[in-house]
Amino acid sequence: MSVIAVLSAAPAVAAAVRALTNEGCHVVPAQQLSQLIGVEGCRWARFARHWEELTLDRFMGDGGTYRLRRYGEYRLVVQSGELVLSPHGPFVQQREVNPLNGGVERHLDPLTTDFTGEPLLRDLLVSLGRIFAATTDGTDRWRVKVHPFRISAGHEVGLPTPEGRHRDGVTFIASLLIDRQNIGGGESTVYDHDGRTLLTTSLTEPGDLLLGDDRRTLHSVTPVHRRDATAAAHRDVLVMAYTVCDE
């Protein structure tokens, strides 16, 4: 799909491209997500069930046990819509980018076969790729790192960004809210490199989507805590990190 076609496809798409180009960040409300990827209720419910299959993140520098996740990487060619899952390998960030957990190979459990086979995941990754391609004047090839997260709030406070205010060392970053159960907190803020706040939002509705140009911005999320101490509490998100692929 050409850049012109992307921009004319839907008002929500054009608004995302414009905001990313001008401000470096953008929120897509859940009710507009269907303009990007065509979400149906039955597809969403099935998709969200995969967060029950996440496993403990064993590489937390703070020793926390509040984060469950899996990890996988794709190669995407935007023009053709070709999306290929790469062989599973460790997740690595430079310590300069992530002073808490960076500098080591994190051998996280892979995405499940059922999850990678979800049409909704494919639709989401390709659709976002088209938006980011339009924002970069047609960049066609991307590496996409996919991180489904569950942050639990129980006997310890849950930290969605335990490394604090940071960038991820990629080109674009997207955070999609899957579910919030019995939690307070979880407010997302995006900053420019001078520390000026560009955007503050709490993703509250399943399908709320935060987009950021990781080259130009930093971001953080406040801790989450249980509202009702007698019930389980968690915040489920899907983080998708896009990097221009030179291969």
Side-chain angles (χ1 to χ4, degrees):
M1 183 180 289
S2 68
V3 172
I4 294 175
V6 169
L7 293 175
S8 62
V13 174
V17 173
R18 185 167 54 250
L20 285 170
T21 301
N22 295 332
E23 286 85 41
C25 55
H26 182 61
V27 174
V28 180
Q31 61 268 28
Q32 293 182 10
L33 191 65
S34 61
Q35 293 186 28
L36 272 64
I37 60 173
V39 177
E40 299 173 1
C42 59
R43 296 175 71 201
W44 185 267
R46 185 180 71 183
F47 189 59
R49 283 197 292 269
H50 294 291
W51 271 252
E52 300 299 328
E53 301 170 337
L54 303 185
T55 57
L56 180 67
D57 185 339
R58 304 177 302 278
F59 296 89
M60 294 297 294
D62 63 357
T65 59
Y66 51 82
R67 183 156 79 179
L68 306 178
R69 69 186 301 181
R70 287 181 181 269
Y71 166 69
E73 183 173 328
Y74 286 84
R75 292 294 191 273
L76 170 64
V77 181
V78 172
Q79 189 67 29
S80 66
E82 179 184 4
L83 182 70
V84 177
L85 182 66
S86 301
H88 189 62
F91 175 54
V92 181
Q93 287 179 304
Q94 298 300 315
R95 187 166 292 277
E96 293 76 13
V97 171
N98 188 332
L100 178 65
N101 297 321
V104 297
E105 291 189 349
R106 286 181 268 174
H107 292 269
L108 304 164
D109 287 340
L111 305 175
T112 66
T113 301
D114 287 344
F115 182 72
T116 59
E118 283 283 358
L120 180 52
L121 178 65
R122 173 186 166 75
D123 292 346
L124 179 63
L125 296 180
V126 173
S127 297
L128 288 178
R130 288 171 177 160
I131 289 173
F132 299 146
T135 308
T136 54
D137 294 326
T139 300
D140 195 47
R141 295 179 180 271
W142 300 85
R143 295 197 311 273
V144 188
K145 296 180 179 180
V146 175
H147 310 263
F149 286 109
R150 168 168 287 180
I151 303 298
S152 298
H155 65 279
E156 57 183 341
V157 172
L159 304 178
T161 54
E163 62 272 63
R165 186 183 303 188
H166 70 287
R167 58 184 297 267
D168 286 276
V170 297
T171 310
F172 292 100
I173 194 83
S175 298
L176 176 68
L177 182 70
I178 304 299
D179 189 30
R180 286 175 64 112
Q181 289 289 332
N182 185 34
I183 64 164
E187 182 180 74
S188 300
T189 302
V190 182
Y191 314 85
D192 66 16
H193 286 172
D194 294 325
R196 182 172 63 94
T197 297
L198 301 176
L199 180 154
T200 298
T201 184
S202 292
L203 305 178
T204 57
E205 296 296 325
D208 285 348
L209 175 66
L210 175 61
L211 306 176
D213 184 336
D214 195 60
R215 302 163 300 180
R216 300 164 52 198
T217 64
L218 300 93
H219 57 276
S220 65
V221 185
T222 60
V224 297
H225 57 271
R226 284 193 295 185
R227 293 186 181 277
D228 178 354
T230 66
H234 62 256
R235 178 180 186 263
D236 292 350
V237 297
L238 178 61
V239 174
M240 297 151 286
Y242 287 68
T243 303
V244 175
C245 182
D246 297 326
E247 301 173 5

